[in-house]
Amino acid sequence: VALGLYFPRKEYLENVYIDQPAGTPLLHIHALRDSREEVARFHLCQNLIVPRARPQENNWFQIREETGLLYLSKSLDREDFNMLSVGNWMPLSKVMLYVFLSSHPFQEKECDSATRTTVFLSLINATAPACSSLTARQLCFTEMDLSFHIKENKPPGTFHQLRLPSVHHLCQNLSISYKLLAAEGVPFRYNENTTSVRVTQRLDREERERYELIAKCTVREGFREMQVEVPFLVNVLDEDDSPPFLPNGTDTADAVVEFNRKEGTVLSTLTVYDADTTPIYPLESSRKKYTGTIITDDPWISETFRVEHIFDEIHFSPNGSQVRGTRHEY
């Protein structure tokens, strides 16, 4: 059975400093469900991917199976840093981890499963900076864009936590609060206590393909207050769930042929709209999706006439928001 669980982000990013204590939480990974019964379980597969070197056994990072919290299970000392940065003289070295999803107790063979997300860890050749030296942007958000992909027609669920676990752990004397600024009626809810964001209902890509919100963060330290805002984007992923439609409701066109028509003369046209999908590349796969047929028993007609199929991307505007689709012309 294909796993229905999926990650709303393709990748995550976090910094790891030398001598951060074991148990330090690093980041929170979320999964969304395909059906209500599913329970997400998170797993790390053994090795750390080190650029330009052999994979290393992962002795430093663990993930909580039920919650998706990635944390340090062993402090990264200078010797570890030198080994993982493989003679890299730069003050920063990137390693990669794959996190896998499963809806049942994990089996090692699932390390080859397609349902995975990549965690990029920047190993920094220095101890963690003092909280007072960090900017509001560093205290509130990672360097990655807040951009998510949510499949249409799927159950509601939590897909992000705004608070950075590492900063929350490190800078407990700072007050860091968030708000999610959005137009009335958008299907997302922010929980102030957990700083988590959830999608509250099933989405429909044919109604709306993209939501643009703003995440606002306020940092208070004594009497000092700093604020920072970043875009928070949700793209709705398509499921092929809407049939094509014909602008005037008819799926056949009659052609009247007069004598002495030149080769290449267009005798009749038929237009079909598909709000569900946009042209796919290679184009042949879009072409195969629908076919135009001349209905006849006469072999001469089949040899003398042909149906040509051209298509292009168009925009529909349900509820005033632009949704991509395809126009097929025969």
Side-chain angles (χ1 to χ4, degrees):
V1 184
L3 283 181
L5 293 164
Y6 69 97
F7 290 105
R9 305 191 79 165
K10 291 191 175 67
E11 49 194 49
Y12 291 80
L13 183 67
E14 191 46 83
N15 296 333
V16 181
Y17 296 91
I18 285 178
D19 295 334
Q20 272 183 296
T24 300
L26 296 174
L27 60 91
H28 218 122
I29 293 173
H30 289 87
L32 286 169
R33 296 169 302 162
D34 198 61
S35 62
R36 286 186 182 278
E37 308 73 62
E38 284 176 320
V39 177
R41 291 189 165 96
F42 299 88
H43 307 274
L44 286 182
C45 285
Q46 272 317 296
N47 291 334
L48 274 178
I49 316 296
V50 183
R52 303 181 303 281
R54 285 202 321 274
Q56 291 277 356
E57 195 174 339
N58 170 26
N59 298 315
W60 301 274
F61 306 100
Q62 285 298 326
I63 195 163
R64 297 211 189 288
E65 188 175 319
E66 285 83 27
T67 62
L69 181 72
L70 185 78
Y71 63 96
L72 268 173
S73 54
K74 173 181 180 292
S75 184
L76 187 80
D77 61 26
R78 206 160 288 279
E79 205 175 297
D80 297 332
F81 177 86
N82 292 339
M83 179 175 76
L84 291 173
S85 57
V86 278
N88 189 342
W89 50 271
M90 302 284 282
L92 178 148
S93 180
K94 266 204 171 81
V95 297
M96 270 162 50
L97 272 173
Y98 293 127
V99 177
F100 287 78
L101 265 180
S102 175
S103 52
H104 51 78
F106 193 68
Q107 254 101 75
E108 196 58 42
K109 66 176 185 306
E110 283 165 312
C111 282
D112 301 327
S113 128
T115 315
R116 72 177 191 192
T117 189
T118 308
V119 177
F120 292 95
L121 296 165
S122 296
L123 309 183
I124 295 169
N125 191 3
T127 53
C131 297
S132 56
S133 70
L134 296 172
T135 64
R137 178 78 170 78
Q138 290 168 313
L139 289 164
C140 294
F141 304 107
T142 66
E143 292 149 47
M144 276 188 78
D145 293 342
L146 289 181
S147 179
F148 307 89
H149 295 87
I150 297 180
K151 293 181 182 178
E152 67 171 340
N153 305 323
K154 303 302 179 199
T158 297
F159 63 96
H160 185 61
Q161 184 186 316
L162 284 164
R163 182 172 62 212
L164 303 179
S166 53
V167 171
H168 183 64
H169 182 77
L170 194 68
C171 307
Q172 295 185 1
N173 58 344
L174 288 183
S175 156
I176 302 174
S177 59
Y178 294 89
K179 273 199 170 86
L180 196 60
L181 310 178
E184 273 298 302
V186 298
F188 305 104
R189 188 77 59 252
Y190 171 64
N191 180 326
E192 225 163 88
N193 300 326
T194 60
T195 77
S196 60
V197 185
R198 72 184 266 112
V199 55
T200 57
Q201 64 189 56
R202 291 170 186 263
L203 303 181
D204 182 354
R205 193 201 71 92
E206 286 73 67
E207 287 295 316
R208 185 153 175 187
E209 191 168 13
R210 185 176 166 87
Y211 293 87
E212 298 182 15
L213 300 85
I214 289 172
K216 178 181 178 178
C217 176
T218 305
V219 181
R220 289 184 190 85
E221 186 181 13
F223 297 112
R224 210 159 64 104
E225 185 176 291
M226 301 179 284
Q227 292 189 334
V228 61
E229 293 184 0
V230 298
F232 187 103
L233 306 174
V234 178
N235 294 291
V236 185
L237 294 181
D238 194 61
E239 198 175 51
D240 208 349
D241 64 334
S242 301
F245 62 94
L246 301 130
N248 57 4
T250 174
D251 63 354
T252 52
D254 295 331
V256 177
V257 187
E258 295 171 1
F259 284 111
N260 297 331
R261 289 289 170 197
K262 288 193 173 71
E263 189 179 334
T265 301
V266 175
L267 302 168
S268 184
T269 59
L270 182 66
T271 302
V272 182
Y273 290 110
D274 187 348
D276 212 19
T277 53
T278 56
I280 312 158
Y281 297 90
L283 288 175
E284 275 319 299
S285 49
S286 270
R287 218 180 286 286
K288 281 179 193 149
K289 216 176 155 192
Y290 307 117
T291 53
T293 311
I294 297 172
I295 302 166
T296 179
D297 298 332
D298 186 335
W300 176 80
I301 290 179
S302 303
E303 286 161 19
T304 312
F305 302 96
R306 74 166 185 270
V307 180
E308 282 201 354
H309 178 193
I310 56 171
F311 50 89
D312 55 0
E313 184 173 293
I314 56 166
H315 289 95
F316 299 96
S317 297
N319 309 329
S321 79
Q322 281 210 333
V323 172
R324 292 170 304 147
T326 312
R327 176 176 50 212
H328 297 267
E329 299 220 48
Y330 296 93

